[in-house]
């Protein structure tokens, strides 16, 4: 039984979404931060002669919330395995979070698919057993899996963890089962996820991501701040650099002020997946509402853009690719397509402890360059 091909209107929308997310992920991995040059301990790596800097692996982390059956990790892994590319110098840890039942199914699919199983290790994904799982054999095992990394110095680089995004405690518990470093440059990603949570729950996820792993460390009064290099190294050890990038449907205003948005709400509700973030107290509407919610959740350098403008930017960056898409998916309903794209948006924010410049500036430019109109 063959699955009917979606119409060009839908395929064009999927292409712009995938192309935008891929561009942002690639830019995040390609970028160079001060964190990379200094290493985890703030010390510049040296060669055998003690004078020349040696090549280093750039540490990056991506946490995909509501990941579903997304395959971004496998694409990035293939790119990183290719020699003589910027991403070949990246040491990536990738975590996918979703409901336990979905995580269980995805792990089974990966382990049953030869090409995917080979990427995560010859033995496939392995289940992480918590202390409670060991002590209570009748208890259902945790829905948390890790890759059997044979090429990454014995350290796991891919995790699947079951949780409920409406409960930030389960998010914290899920990440505690991974080997993520809160101080390493981290990108939180969610696609068609936050819009389906209540305003309070969506804000809770954003606030959790901005605060994850941050602790109130007492300052060492013995540090000699007159030595700028020593002071900067110790400050760097206490810094956190992270960004959140979200793609979601968006209603531009309350009922009757946005007829298309109102109909979109009705259609999604009828399908059993209402846009809860647009309902009740604190309802979020339009780009201004998305930006405000990010800012109220602790994110800085917040930006947002609708997918119509983002698609225009894609066309400016890669005209041959857009011509290819137009040839494969000829579109008559141009006005309808533009209207739909106006009701999807991307929003991002940057969060960093420590100095506001430097890496925070770099990370903001990395994200905004791939999304804003020229």
């Amino acid at each position: 039984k063959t699955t009917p091909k979606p119409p060009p209107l839908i395929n064009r929308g999927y292409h712009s979404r995938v192309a935008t997310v891929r561009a942002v992920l690639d830019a995040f991995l390609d970028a160079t931060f001060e964190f990379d040059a200094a290493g985890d301990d703030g010390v510049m790596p040296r060669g055998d002669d003690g004078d020349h800097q040696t090549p280093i692996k750039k540490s990056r982390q991506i946490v995909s919330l509501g990941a579903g059956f997304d395959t971004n990790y496998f694409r990035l892994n293939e790119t990183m395995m290719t020699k003589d590319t910027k991403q070949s110098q990246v040491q990536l840890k990738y975590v996918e979070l979703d409901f336990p039942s979905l995580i269980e199914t995805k792990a089974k699919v990966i382990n049953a698919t030869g090409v995917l199983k080979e990427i995560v290790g010859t033995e496939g994904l392995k289940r992480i057993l918590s202390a409670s799982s060991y002590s209570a054999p009748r208890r259902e095992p945790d829905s948390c899996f890790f890759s059997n990394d044979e090429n990454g110095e014995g350290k796991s680089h891919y995790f699947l963890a079951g949780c409920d995004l409406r409960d930030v405690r389960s998010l914290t518990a899920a990440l505690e089962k991974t080997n993520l470093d809160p101080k390493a440059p981290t990108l939180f990603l969610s696609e068609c996820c936050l819009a389906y949570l209540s305003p309070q729950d969506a804000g809770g996820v954003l606030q959790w991501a901005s605060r994850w792993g941050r602790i109130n460390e007492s300052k060492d009064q013995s540090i000699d701040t007159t030595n700028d290099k020593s002071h900067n190294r110790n400050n760097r050890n206490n810094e956190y650099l992270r960004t959140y990038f979200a793609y979601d449907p968006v209603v531009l205003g309350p009922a009757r002020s946005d007829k298309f948005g109102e109909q979109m709400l009705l259609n999604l509700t009828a399908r059993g997946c209402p846009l809860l973030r647009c309902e009740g107290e604190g309802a979020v509407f339009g780009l201004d509402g998305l930006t405000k919610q990010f800012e109220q959740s602790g994110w800085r350098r917040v930006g947002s853009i609708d997918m119509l403008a983002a698609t225009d930017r894609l066309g400016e960056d890669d005209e041959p690719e857009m011509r290819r898409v137009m040839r494969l998916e000829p579109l008559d309903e141009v006005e309808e397509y533009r209207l739909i794209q106006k009701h999807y948006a991307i929003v991002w924010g940057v969060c960093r402890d420590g100095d506001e410049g430097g890496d925070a500036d770099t990370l903001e430019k990395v994200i905004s360059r791939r999304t804003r109109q020229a």
Side-chain angles (χ1 to χ4, degrees), residues 24 187 243 245 348 363-371:
V24 169
L187 184 148
T243 185
F245 186 83
W348 63 90
L363 186 52
E364 179 191 21
K365 291 176 182 177
V366 164
I367 303 299
S368 62
R369 187 186 304 125
R370 294 293 181 176
T371 51

Side-chain angles (χ1 to χ4, degrees), residues 40-258:
D40 293 344
D41 57 1
V43 178
M44 298 289 286
R46 298 292 174 182
D48 294 336
D49 57 6
D51 293 327
H52 299 94
Q53 182 173 326
T54 59
I56 59 173
K57 282 281 188 178
K58 298 192 297 185
S59 178
R60 295 288 182 273
Q61 300 176 156
I62 296 175
V63 179
S64 179
L65 299 101
F69 289 93
D70 180 74
T71 57
N72 268 313
Y73 168 74
F74 296 97
R75 182 188 69 85
L76 293 174
N77 181 80
E78 182 179 8
T79 304
M80 290 186 295
M81 291 297 104
T82 303
K83 295 182 179 180
D84 301 325
T85 65
K86 289 183 178 180
Q87 292 183 21
S88 66
Q89 296 301 315
V90 173
Q91 192 168 39
L92 175 65
K93 295 176 182 178
Y94 201 104
V95 178
E96 296 183 351
L97 305 177
D98 213 312
F99 285 120
S101 59
L102 189 144
I103 291 297
E104 292 284 342
T105 302
K106 187 169 187 177
K108 290 179 181 178
V109 170
I110 292 173
N111 284 343
T113 306
V115 64
L116 300 182
K117 182 179 179 181
E118 183 178 353
I119 291 174
V120 300
T122 55
E123 298 180 15
L125 291 172
K126 295 183 178 180
R127 188 182 299 274
I128 296 176
L129 296 177
S130 65
S132 57
S133 296
Y134 286 115
S135 60
R138 293 185 180 181
R139 177 180 176 272
E140 285 296 319
D142 294 331
S143 298
C144 191
F145 300 84
F146 69 100
S147 60
N148 177 27
D149 182 10
E150 297 173 341
N151 301 310
E153 300 176 356
K155 296 181 179 179
S156 299
H157 53 79
Y158 180 51
F159 292 86
L160 303 178
C163 63
D164 188 337
L165 300 185
R166 297 166 295 184
D167 180 3
V168 295
R169 293 172 300 180
S170 75
L171 292 172
T172 299
L175 289 196
E176 285 177 348
K177 296 170 185 174
T178 71
N179 61 359
L180 292 192
D181 177 6
K183 295 179 182 179
T186 303
L187 184 148
F188 290 89
L189 170 68
S190 62
E191 300 180 57
C192 291
C193 175
L194 298 181
Y196 298 95
L197 301 177
S198 70
Q200 294 73 29
D201 288 337
V205 170
L206 291 171
Q207 187 176 76
W208 166 82
S210 71
R211 295 181 176 181
W212 166 70
R214 295 167 64 177
I215 56 176
N216 295 321
E217 298 177 348
S218 59
K219 294 184 178 180
D220 186 350
Q221 299 299 326
S222 65
I223 294 175
D224 181 8
T225 58
T226 61
N227 184 332
D228 288 340
K229 292 182 179 180
S230 174
H231 179 58
N232 289 338
R233 285 197 300 266
N234 282 285
N235 275 349
R236 186 174 288 118
N237 281 332
N238 292 325
E239 290 175 0
Y240 300 80
L241 179 65
R242 62 195 57 174
T243 185
Y244 198 113
F245 186 83
Y247 168 96
D248 277 299
V250 59
V251 176
L252 305 183
R256 292 184 293 278
S257 66
D258 176 16

Side-chain angles (χ1 to χ4, degrees), residues 8 11-12 15 311 315 318-332 334 337:
N11 286 339
R12 286 275 197 99
H15 176 270
T311 304
D318 194 346
E319 291 185 11
E321 170 64 8
M322 294 309 294
R323 287 198 296 269
R324 184 185 73 87
V325 172
M326 293 172 66
R327 185 171 63 253
L328 292 175
E329 301 289 348
L331 186 64
D332 293 328
V334 176
Y337 171 76

